[in-house]
Amino acid sequence: MILHKGEVLFHQGDSGEFLYHIKSGLFKVTRLHENGNIVLFNILYPGETVPHHSLISQKETHGTATAVIRSEIEIISAKEWYRELKENPDRPLEVARLLQEKVRFMQQRLDHLTVGTPAERLELLIKWLDDYSQGLHLTELLTQEEIGQLIGVRRETVNRLLRGQH
């Protein structure tokens, strides 16, 4: 399946009857909170199978995944995925590897959040996304508000930092 920028892979609260393997592209995952705030809390990239919290057992989706660039996805039946987990002794180790890779990614993101200045955090985010962005600039992928959420600063600070780059 091909999704283009702005198209939704799954919505917050979906039942979880499918998992998705990202072959190419990028997705931002946002969560709508009860108070109306929408927060960007994850970036999905090629090689991942998602939702992560449903790799071992089915659960409704925690957020909404929206393509930020053209993306290719393999749709996987959750029933088939879980049956394979039970029947194939190698599958649980594959799932453990997938989860390990995501934990390592999250550790890297946390490291980026604890690095010195906001400018340094922005630079690390740009460098990381360059591997997946198909040549697009950060601001073509994410809003200033979303960039701020990823690097732990306000939108106004992102605006100032981006102006300083040019």
Side-chain angles (χ1 to χ4, degrees):
M1 173 170 85
I2 302 293
L3 290 176
H4 299 279
K5 182 177 182 170
E7 293 183 325
V8 173
L9 178 60
F10 53 79
H11 289 89
Q12 182 175 328
D14 283 354
S15 66
E17 62 185 282
F18 298 103
L19 287 97
Y20 308 92
H21 179 74
I22 302 170
K23 293 182 170 188
S24 67
L26 278 174
F27 291 85
K28 63 182 178 183
V29 184
T30 55
R31 180 157 177 77
L32 173 63
H33 291 280
E34 289 179 15
N35 65 6
N37 288 343
I38 297 176
V39 177
L40 172 65
F41 73 93
N42 202 356
I43 300 286
L44 306 177
Y45 50 87
E48 291 195 271
T49 300
V50 295
H52 302 103
H53 68 274
S54 294
L55 290 175
I56 296 173
S57 63
Q58 188 170 340
K59 184 169 176 29
E60 70 179 29
T61 55
H62 189 68
T64 298
T66 306
V68 296
I69 55 177
R70 183 184 183 279
S71 302
E72 184 179 357
I73 306 301
E74 175 189 355
I75 301 173
I76 304 164
S77 159
K79 286 181 184 177
E80 179 67 22
W81 177 268
Y82 302 129
R83 185 185 61 70
E84 270 283 310
L85 275 179
K86 288 179 183 173
E87 295 176 4
N88 182 340
D90 294 332
R91 293 292 287 185
L93 187 55
E94 287 178 40
V95 170
R97 284 190 184 110
L98 290 169
L99 292 171
Q100 174 182 271
E101 283 305 309
K102 194 59 182 186
V103 167
R104 288 178 178 171
F105 164 75
M106 297 306 289
Q107 286 173 325
Q108 180 185 40
R109 290 285 310 125
L110 287 171
D111 285 347
H112 289 179
L113 278 173
T114 58
V115 157
T117 68
E120 290 170 308
R121 286 183 258 159
L122 178 62
E123 190 59 35
L124 286 169
L125 177 62
I126 290 169
K127 284 181 182 174
W128 178 80
L129 276 175
D130 278 349
D131 290 341
Y132 306 104
S133 67
Q134 300 174 358
L136 296 173
H137 186 269
L138 177 62
T139 56
E140 295 176 84
L141 304 172
L142 303 170
T143 66
Q144 289 184 2
E145 183 74 27
E146 291 166 338
I147 295 165
Q149 290 171 1
L150 285 176
I151 66 171
V153 299
R154 295 176 27 167
R155 185 201 57 77
E156 294 81 3
T157 304
V158 172
N159 188 321
R160 182 177 45 78
L161 291 170
L162 290 171
R163 281 196 322 262
Q165 283 187 325
H166 301 293

